């Protein structure tokens, strides 16, 4: 019995052992199955990660073109310089020439010399022995990269000191259209403008290059390597017209300098039929290639702050000024449109049939809205007298508009106000668009409705206002403003075209033609927008001036601006915004333009003075460029400028015949017969056929005598003309070329300056401007 029991126990143990072995095998097999089948991908990835190195390849960011395929933004090749601490360590371990840290020190010294980086920083990065990639510097130019490449080859530092080619954004015209285009940040992503709006399309899709090394860090066979190509970004073709953009920026800058605007100047040009933004400018602006550098105006603000450079307050202000400089005023800063809104009020009234152009109204300098006890003044406080509706619009009569909006009624007015987009956003493809600030219909009482009629107490963005004006210009259709025209690939194939929303007609074509005709007549005659007159072209325009009720300026007894706390404050008034909107040609409008001068501090504050002249200057360039031939009136033809030929070597007979045919007067000095040896003004000058005189010198006579340029600033056109002609000088007129309309324009500047000694016949350039405009 004991023996049997012992044998039985042995059998049980054997069975248990066998079962244990079997279980172990099962577990082992299960583990192997799990490793090789179930989790194969996971562990294969771990192994590959240890053996392979993945290097991303950057796609080329899409280019940006203007509407005529002029390149606006492209890419240049720059280099990222980086070291491989692990490769440096392995090299030093195996090298007989370099001891521990010697290679790293040599590399660091060269990088300090060539890149100007900190030595200790490079050494610190070289000690991260498990790292393959430590960036030393980005955006290194090709010339500098070539110096480092030679250093690498000479010293056998391949793989330890590395250069990676990258793309850097380059803007072909620096600050041109900067607020439309925007710029890219250090990561290559778009910031502001179309660079931000279409960033996803522009940036493309990154690729990668995978290389493999064995345990000894030697290259493995090619089959272990792979390459996934990067997909370049789409190219943007914009609606921007570079020539129009350039000219608009010239005029915005001129308006800024003339008015000494305290809160920038902006301008927009739009295609009235499509909503395409042809140009837009904000000044002061910034350089897209160096967007973090403050412009001169903002640098002056920083200097005037009196803050200690480098202090927290100084750095905070500098950051605020940078964001202010970047801020796209045309979409992000609502303003009160003032009398330019009278175009809309008039169109609503004519569309609804509550007025006709010939209706009569008497303006006594103020108006008491129905249901209100106090009068609201006209800008012309002594009144316009009895005028027709058409003339009241041309003269920008506020009481007329208040009376008109009462006839329209709140509900009808608000229906149009909402339909024209004044209660929302335009939907433009630019970042940072602000909403308008206005009352809801139920909150409009008689006073709000009255002042809304002439564009006060509500705010819209400049782009909203121009978009609404385009509705009148194009025959009544609301358009969506946009900058994108289409996207194309590198072969020029169109990928996507900007799709405009279905146009909604708000006004009839007849209403729009009536409003346009009234405005154009006002520009050509003695309307408030006569400074927008453009010789040879019919222009519809309206000026406006609004008050900034939330911002006031204070004066001392001598008219100098002082702070509110100053004890010498004697008067105050709100800051103002002067603007002008126009579209042309009036008989078939194609483009609309607006210029807004925010807080003018010099030369007046009315839009008719600070903005309208620059609208005229812009259109005088834009219309011929767009292919519109000037159509001169008989009066314009009588004073048209003609070119002066080079008469040197001509006989007096030939010269006088030529001048007579050109309808220019002349004087011959030195004898009526002979050869011309000198002349004034010089060849290439332009003189008016109305009063231009060419002085021709023959024989030994030379223009040695001089005359003194008189002071004509402040004089009317007739007086100026008489004074200069009597002084044996020619006149070149700039500015208001319809200078004899109404009360007459005045000379606001002249060149050469008064007191200058010049030869007889010298051209004195004078700029005329109507200074009687209020709006």
């Amino acid at each position: 019995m004991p023996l049997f029991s012992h044998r039985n126990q042995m059998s049980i143990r054997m069975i248990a052992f066998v079962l244990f072995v079997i279980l172990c095998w099962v577990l082992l097999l299960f583990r192997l199955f799990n490793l090789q089948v179930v989790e194969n991908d996971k562990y294969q990835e771990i192994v590959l990660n240890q053996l392979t190195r993945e290097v991303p390849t950057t796609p080329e960011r899409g280019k940006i073109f203007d509407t005529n395929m002029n390149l606006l933004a492209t890419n240049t090749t720059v280099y990222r310089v980086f070291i491989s601490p692990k490769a440096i360590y392995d090299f030093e371990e195996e090298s007989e020439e370099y001891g521990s840290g010697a290679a790293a020190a040599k590399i660091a010294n060269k990088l300090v010399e060539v890149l100007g980086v900190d030595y200790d920083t490079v050494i610190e990065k070289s000690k991260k022995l498990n790292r393959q990639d430590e960036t030393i510097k980005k955006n290194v130019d090709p010339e500098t990269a070539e110096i480092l490449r030679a250093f690498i080859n000479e010293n056998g530092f391949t793989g330890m000191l590395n250069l990676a080619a990258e793309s850097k954004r380059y803007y072909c015209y620096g600050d041109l259209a900067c607020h439309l285009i925007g710029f890219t940040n250090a990561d290559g992503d778009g910031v502001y403008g179309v660079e931000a709006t279409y960033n996803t399309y522009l940036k493309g899709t990154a690729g990668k290059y995978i290389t493999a090394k064995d345990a000894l860090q030697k290259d493995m066979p090619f089959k272990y390597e792979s390459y996934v190509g990067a997909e370049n970004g789409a190219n943007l073709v914009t609606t921007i017209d570079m020539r129009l953009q350039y000219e608009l920026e010239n005029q915005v800058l001129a308006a800024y300098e003339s008015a000494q605007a305290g809160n920038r100047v902006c301008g927009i040009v739009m295609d009235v039929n499509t909503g395409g933004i042809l140009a837009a400018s904000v000044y002061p602006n910034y350089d897209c290639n160096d967007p973090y550098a403050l412009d001169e105006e903002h640098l002056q603000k920083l200097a005037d702050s009196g803050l200690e450079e480098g202090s927290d307050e100084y750095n905070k202000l500098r950051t605020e000024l940078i964001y202010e400089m970047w801020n796209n005023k045309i979409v992000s800063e609502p303003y009160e449109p003032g009398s330019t809104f009278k175009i809309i009020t008039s169109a609503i009234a004519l569309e609804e049939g509550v007025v006709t152009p010939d209706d009569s109204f008497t303006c006594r300098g103020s108006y008491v809205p129905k249901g209100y006890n106090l009068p609201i003044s006209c800008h012309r406080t002594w009144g316009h007298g009895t005028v027709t509706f058409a003339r009241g619009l041309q003269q920008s009569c506020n009481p007329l508009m208040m009376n008109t909006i009462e006839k329209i009624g709140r509900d009808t007015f608000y229906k149009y106000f909402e339909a024209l987009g004044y209660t929302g956003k335009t939907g433009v493809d630019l970042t940072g668009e602000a909403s308008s600030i206005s009352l809801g219909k139920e909150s409009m009482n008689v006073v709000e409705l009255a002042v809304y009629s002439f564009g006060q107490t509500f705010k819209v963005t400049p782009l909203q206002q121009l978009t609404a004006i385009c509705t009148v210009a194009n025959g009544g259709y609301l358009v969506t403003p946009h900058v994108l025209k289409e996207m194309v690939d590198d072969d020029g194939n169109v990928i996507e075209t900007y799709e405009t929303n279905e146009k909604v007609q708000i006004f009839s074509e007849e209403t729009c033609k009536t409003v346009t005709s009234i405005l154009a007549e006002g520009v050509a005659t003695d309307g408030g927008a006569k400074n927008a007159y453009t010789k040879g072209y019919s222009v519809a325009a309206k000026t406006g001036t609004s008050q900034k009720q939330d911002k006031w300026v204070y004066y001392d007894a001598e008219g100098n601006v002082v702070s509110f706390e100053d004890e010498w404050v004697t008067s105050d008034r709100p800051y103002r915004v002067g603007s002008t909107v126009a579209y042309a040609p009036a008989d078939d409008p194609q483009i609309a333009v607006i210029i807004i001068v925010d807080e003018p501090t010099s030369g007046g504050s009315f839009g008719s003075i600070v903005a309208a002249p620059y609208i005229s200057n812009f259109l005088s360039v834009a219309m011929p460029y767009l292919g519109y031939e000037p159509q001169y009136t008989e009066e314009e033809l009588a004073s048209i400028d003609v070119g002066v030929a080079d008469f040197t070597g001509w006989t007096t007979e030939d010269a006088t015949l030529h001048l007579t045919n050109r309808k220019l007067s002349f004087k011959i000095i030195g004898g009526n017969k002979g050869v011309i040896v000198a002349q004034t003004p010089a060849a290439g000058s332009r003189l008016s056929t109305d009063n231009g005189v060419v002085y021709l010198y023959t024989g030994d006579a030379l223009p040695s005598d001089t005359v003194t340029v008189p002071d004509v600033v402040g004089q009317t056109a007739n007086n100026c003309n008489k004074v200069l002609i009597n002084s044996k000088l020619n006149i070149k007129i700039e500015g208001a070329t319809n200078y004899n309309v109404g009360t007459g324009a005045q000379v606001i500047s002249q060149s050469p300056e008064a007191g200058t000694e010049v030869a007889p016949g010298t051209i004195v350039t004078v700029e005329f401007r109507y200074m009687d405009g209020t709006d």
Side-chain angles (χ1 to χ4, degrees), residues 708-766:
T708 303
V709 177
D711 185 359
V712 293
V713 173
Q715 296 193 27
T716 63
N718 288 335
N719 288 340
C720 170
N721 199 34
K722 289 177 183 177
V723 169
L724 291 178
I725 290 175
N726 290 338
S727 299
K728 299 181 180 180
L729 295 168
N730 282 302
I731 181 173
K732 177 184 178 183
I733 297 171
E734 293 183 347
T737 50
N738 57 338
Y739 44 79
N740 280 325
V741 170
T743 58
Q746 298 177 8
V747 179
I748 64 167
S749 67
Q750 70 176 77
S751 178
E753 295 181 355
T756 307
E757 295 293 324
V758 297
T762 296
I763 296 174
V764 177
T765 302
V766 296

Side-chain angles (χ1 to χ4, degrees), residues 74-213:
T74 185
N75 309 290
T76 58
T77 300
V78 293
Y79 292 86
R80 179 175 68 92
V81 178
F82 66 99
I83 60 172
S84 172
K86 189 175 189 310
I88 294 173
Y89 174 77
D90 292 343
F91 175 78
E92 291 176 341
E93 285 289 300
E94 299 175 5
S95 173
E96 296 181 0
E97 180 181 353
Y98 292 94
S100 176
K106 187 168 185 176
I107 290 172
N109 281 320
K110 190 64 176 180
L111 294 176
V112 170
E113 174 193 336
V114 176
L115 302 180
V117 294
D118 181 65
Y119 177 87
D120 293 335
T121 300
V122 177
I123 293 298
E124 191 64 31
K125 290 187 174 185
S126 72
K127 293 178 181 179
K128 299 178 181 180
L129 303 183
N130 61 331
R131 296 277 296 168
Q132 294 277 13
D133 187 330
E134 281 291 317
T135 298
I136 302 300
K137 191 171 183 178
K138 292 183 176 181
N139 295 329
V140 175
D141 61 77
E143 293 76 14
T144 304
E146 194 58 39
I147 295 172
L148 292 177
R149 186 174 286 110
F151 171 76
I152 293 168
N153 295 333
E154 289 170 6
N155 294 274
F157 287 155
T158 302
M160 290 169 271
L161 176 59
N162 305 284
L163 302 169
E166 296 179 337
S167 287
K168 180 184 179 183
R169 203 60 160 167
Y170 176 72
Y171 300 92
C172 305
Y173 300 95
D175 58 7
L176 189 75
C178 59
H179 289 92
L180 289 179
I181 299 172
F183 57 94
T184 57
N185 60 20
D187 296 324
D189 290 320
V191 181
Y192 292 97
V194 293
E195 286 277 29
T197 304
Y198 298 105
N199 184 61
T200 302
Y201 300 95
L202 284 164
K203 70 188 302 183
T205 305
K208 56 186 176 181
Y209 181 64
I210 302 173
T211 58
K213 295 182 181 294

Side-chain angles (χ1 to χ4, degrees), residues 58 144 652:
T58 306
T144 304
T652 54

Side-chain angles (χ1 to χ4, degrees), residues 50-53 211-220:
Q50 292 173 343
L51 295 176
T52 61
R53 180 181 175 190
T211 58
K213 295 182 181 294
D214 61 19
L216 298 177
Q217 292 299 300
K218 297 183 180 297
D219 291 335
M220 294 179 67

Side-chain angles (χ1 to χ4, degrees), residues 363-424:
C363 170
R364 295 182 173 85
S366 64
Y367 186 79
V368 181
K370 292 179 180 178
Y372 191 61
N373 298 324
L374 298 175
I376 298 176
S377 296
C378 184
H379 62 85
R380 188 171 183 174
T381 55
W382 58 95
H384 289 93
T386 300
V387 294
T388 63
F389 180 84
R391 181 155 180 82
L393 174 58
Q394 293 166 357
Q395 297 298 320
S396 201
C397 177
N398 288 351
L400 171 65
M401 291 297 119
M402 289 186 276
N403 176 263
T404 300
I405 207 167
E406 287 179 346
K407 297 177 181 178
I408 295 170
R410 183 185 69 176
D411 291 352
T412 301
F413 170 77
Y414 194 82
K415 178 186 70 174
Y416 283 95
F417 190 75
E418 191 172 36
L420 287 164
Y422 280 118
T423 59

Side-chain angles (χ1 to χ4, degrees), residues 31 44 77 262 271 297 304 327 336 355 430 472 476 481 615 677 692:
R31 182 60 176 161
Q44 186 176 32
T77 300
D271 183 321
E297 284 75 10
D304 292 343
N327 189 29
E336 294 186 24
V355 298
L430 292 171
V472 178
I615 292 281
V677 295

